[in-house]
Amino acid sequence: MKRITMIGDVGWSQFYHLGDEAMTELAIDELRARADIAITLIAGEPQHASEMYGVDAVRRIGFRRDRRPNTSRMKKILDYVAGDRNALKADDPAIDVVDAVRNSAAVLIAGGGNLNSMFAHHIYERATLAKIARALGKPYALTNQTLGPLIYDEDRDIVHDLLAEAEFVGTRESYTTQLVDDLGRGSATVRRQVDDAFSLTARDEDRSAVSDLTERPFILASFAEKASTPMFSDDEYHARLAELTRRLAEVTGLRVLLVPHGGALPPAPETRDQLNDPKIAQASGHAEVVPTRMLTARELIALTEQAQLVVGTRYHAAIFAGAAGIPSVSLAPNLYSSIRMRGAAENVGMEDYVLPLDSVDDIVSTAVGAVGNRDELTGRLSAQSQKRRAEHQQWWDFVVAKTLGDSPGAAETEAPGFFHAEAIDSPYVDAIGVVRERLNAVQNYGLVMALKDRKAARANEEVQAVKSQLQRLRAERDEARRRDERRESEPAVRAVRRVESTGRRTTEFARRAYRRLRAARR
């Protein structure tokens, strides 16, 4: 039995990020479906992840958002791999990761949007894992990636090396495919694919688990807890969501279920979306705007299958909707969400159903129109979904053949192509071209502000470095003074100082006597 080491942004007992868990869960399923394989998962809390997914698990290497200590830590880890056993302490979690890679046939870096300079610790985690694999002669690959949209100059080389030395890179939107080319793909095979969570399916027990939520027709809504944009405050963001959900409930007569994507499964205490959704519901002032409990990824898929419409700022809400053939309206309040939302929608032809959050009227109009035209939209989306799922299965055939090399001719296996979906027009918003330009403006504004913030952060780092240097020099000066004071207080030094003082007085007395003598002779 061969073993593969895989990293996913998963595995915390106190936090369940539904989309990240779905991507990793699908990757595990696809690997097991194609090979007799053992999996070692690099996760937040190994014991929790192991129990959740039935795999072996080790802790993450562990990096910070600061680049300087990350660079030093990466070097120490690679020194350890090269044979310097003193480079790491005996309890360093990186040692277990190195051992896992050494005992594996290949390394797989699962999705999704971690290769972003806003999350430098994730870049270093994955880049170091890749360098460990290369040092140990193990192939590695990346599936289901969004790259950027922010890659700062100081991160470009490390991201380039990560991509260029991979066996292959799966990208989940055209923006990422282009950015990989800009950074330099090297010898890596780069192919467009749908998000890995697209092919995760619900089971009968998942449908049963959400049956209490599907007794009446409903709209499924999922919102990130923050706007994450300088364009408007979180309070303004929440107010718009409250207005939107109220109007949807009023105009359609449907329940609006607020489903958290970032939260915690029982018995862990509620967090993030789980705390925010009740506030939105209360602010909406409508009894049919209802927050739900935290669901697993498969349970949410089961719920999505029964929805009249899916709406929200959460990326994987659109992924699950597209896969289930359910109309969706995706809202993009910031740069990061706009890139991902538009990519996900483009994959199933729904790009005109991605809207900025600055016009609730456009969102309500589109949502109401989509509900009224649900049957036609579902038919067209289901056909698109079947094509994407078929391509996705071919992609995973390629992934396993290329990384494990079990099948004859695996080395020559070609990555499947990706065919863009047929666009589904939106007649519900006037001047859809203007809407696209507004989305472009959201992206451009976000990019400019992010670069401005980074420039300010770099300047602040330089100021802090100068302050640290001044503090060090002051500390050295103060220590020198204390040493001098301690030395002056020693008995031998005091005796020497008395002799020196006596000598100075004697010399001065002699000089005065000489001057008096010369004066008397005149």
Side-chain angles (χ1 to χ4, degrees):
M1 177 185 292
K2 290 190 175 181
R3 179 175 290 275
I4 192 166
T5 294
M6 181 169 68
I7 185 170
D9 197 10
V10 299
W12 286 271
S13 60
Q14 302 297 305
F15 180 63
Y16 182 81
H17 195 293
L18 193 146
D20 287 335
E21 302 283 350
M23 291 183 289
T24 299
E25 187 170 1
L26 186 280
I28 293 171
D29 285 354
E30 297 296 346
L31 289 171
R32 285 173 167 168
R34 288 167 174 79
D36 184 15
I37 188 172
I39 298 171
T40 299
L41 181 62
I42 301 173
E45 297 174 32
Q47 183 176 349
H48 177 75
S50 182
E51 293 171 354
M52 193 162 192
Y53 295 115
V55 297
D56 297 325
V58 296
R59 278 191 298 166
R60 298 189 301 174
I61 294 170
F63 286 93
R64 303 175 182 176
R65 293 181 181 271
D66 298 327
R67 288 166 177 79
R68 290 182 181 178
N70 286 348
T71 301
S72 175
R73 177 148 174 72
M74 176 190 284
K75 183 180 182 304
K76 290 179 181 179
I77 292 168
L78 297 178
D79 287 345
Y80 177 88
V81 176
D84 181 3
R85 292 299 181 261
N86 295 320
L88 299 176
K89 295 180 180 180
D91 61 349
D92 195 308
I95 294 176
D96 288 339
V97 173
V98 172
D99 290 341
V101 175
R102 182 178 285 113
N103 294 324
S104 295
V107 170
L108 184 64
I109 299 174
N114 297 304
L115 299 180
N116 185 335
S117 288
M118 301 296 287
F119 318 125
H121 53 301
H122 287 317
I123 290 179
Y124 275 87
E125 185 83 31
R126 284 147 183 79
T128 303
L129 177 61
K131 289 183 179 296
I132 293 170
R134 294 288 292 181
L136 296 176
K138 310 292 183 177
Y140 74 89
L142 300 89
T143 184
N144 181 42
Q145 297 293 321
T146 291
L147 187 61
L150 296 173
I151 303 293
Y152 296 144
D153 289 344
E154 57 265 43
D155 295 327
R156 290 182 73 88
D157 287 345
I158 190 172
V159 174
H160 164 78
D161 291 347
L162 170 61
L163 300 173
E165 296 178 352
E167 292 291 309
F168 57 84
V169 180
T171 66
R172 58 187 188 182
E173 59 271 315
S174 56
Y175 180 95
T176 293
T177 307
Q178 181 60 53
L179 189 50
V180 171
D181 284 338
D182 292 345
L183 288 168
R185 65 172 68 191
S187 60
T189 297
V190 180
R191 288 291 187 275
R192 178 84 173 273
Q193 61 163 121
V194 289
D195 184 279
D196 279 338
F198 193 93
S199 292
L200 192 68
T201 57
R203 303 159 300 196
D204 289 342
E205 57 263 39
D206 302 312
R207 296 182 180 93
S208 177
V210 298
S211 60
D212 62 311
L213 300 174
T214 62
E215 294 173 348
R216 295 167 51 194
F218 63 93
I219 292 173
L220 192 159
S222 293
F223 302 116
E225 78 274 19
K226 295 180 180 180
S228 300
T229 177
M231 295 184 72
F232 45 82
S233 69
D234 286 343
D235 287 343
E236 291 172 319
Y237 169 69
H238 295 147
R240 294 184 189 190
L241 297 181
E243 179 190 356
L244 169 62
T245 52
R246 173 185 58 77
R247 290 178 61 180
L248 287 177
E250 287 177 348
V251 176
T252 66
L254 299 171
R255 297 184 78 190
V256 179
L257 299 181
L258 304 181
V259 183
H261 277 228
L265 296 172
E270 293 184 343
T271 185
R272 294 182 60 171
D273 293 6
Q274 292 169 292
L275 302 179
N276 193 55
D277 286 350
K279 295 178 182 178
I280 295 173
Q282 182 177 12
S284 75
H286 200 292
E288 292 301 299
V289 178
V290 181
T292 75
R293 60 188 177 276
M294 189 74 201
L295 305 176
T296 67
R298 292 185 191 272
E299 289 171 349
L300 180 52
I301 292 169
L303 187 64
T304 302
E305 293 172 347
Q306 302 299 315
Q308 298 296 302
L309 174 77
V310 173
V311 62
T313 61
R314 281 292 189 185
Y315 167 74
H316 276 96
I319 295 297
F320 295 144
I326 301 300
S328 65
V329 180
S330 297
L331 313 180
N334 56 56
L335 166 66
Y336 188 46
S337 63
S338 180
I339 294 294
R340 295 189 304 155
M341 292 292 198
R342 296 173 89 174
E346 183 184 20
N347 290 346
V348 291
M350 293 288 283
E351 192 169 6
D352 285 351
Y353 291 76
V354 181
L355 305 174
L357 199 56
D358 60 358
S359 175
V360 175
D361 288 343
D362 285 347
I363 299 168
V364 172
S365 176
T366 303
V368 172
V371 169
N373 198 30
R374 182 181 184 276
D375 290 344
E376 180 184 345
L377 288 173
T378 295
R380 297 180 66 179
L381 285 168
S382 295
Q384 305 275 29
S385 175
Q386 290 175 12
K387 293 178 182 179
R388 297 289 87 85
R389 286 180 187 267
E391 292 165 356
H392 203 204
Q393 290 304 300
Q394 293 172 10
W395 168 257
W396 275 97
D397 289 342
F398 165 78
V399 169
V400 173
K402 199 72 172 178
T403 54
L404 298 181
D406 281 339
S407 58
E412 291 75 36
T413 301
E414 290 291 331
F418 181 95
F419 301 95
H420 291 297
E422 177 186 352
I424 300 175
D425 295 333
S426 170
Y428 312 114
V429 175
D430 293 332
I432 194 67
V434 175
V435 172
R436 292 174 184 161
E437 288 305 313
R438 282 159 52 201
L439 284 172
N440 291 337
V442 169
Q443 292 178 197
N444 292 335
Y445 181 76
L447 182 60
V448 168
M449 293 304 295
L451 294 177
K452 179 181 177 181
D453 289 345
R454 181 58 187 157
K455 185 177 181 179
R458 290 290 299 274
N460 184 61
E461 288 173 2
E462 293 175 2
V463 169
Q464 294 304 318
V466 171
K467 286 183 177 179
S468 297
Q469 184 179 19
L470 287 174
Q471 290 175 349
R472 178 177 58 80
L473 292 173
R474 287 169 181 157
E476 291 176 356
R477 179 200 62 190
D478 293 343
E479 179 59 28
R481 286 177 176 173
R482 286 192 291 270
R483 285 198 304 269
D484 288 343
E485 290 173 357
R486 288 195 298 270
R487 186 177 61 184
E488 294 295 327
S489 66
E490 294 175 358
V493 173
R494 289 201 302 271
V496 170
R497 294 289 182 264
R498 285 195 296 272
V499 171
E500 290 175 347
S501 178
T502 300
R504 286 194 296 271
R505 290 196 300 272
T506 301
T507 299
E508 183 60 29
F509 176 79
R511 287 174 178 169
R512 289 198 299 269
Y514 177 73
R515 287 195 292 270
R516 287 196 299 271
L517 180 61
R518 288 187 63 183
R521 289 177 176 177
R522 291 178 186 157

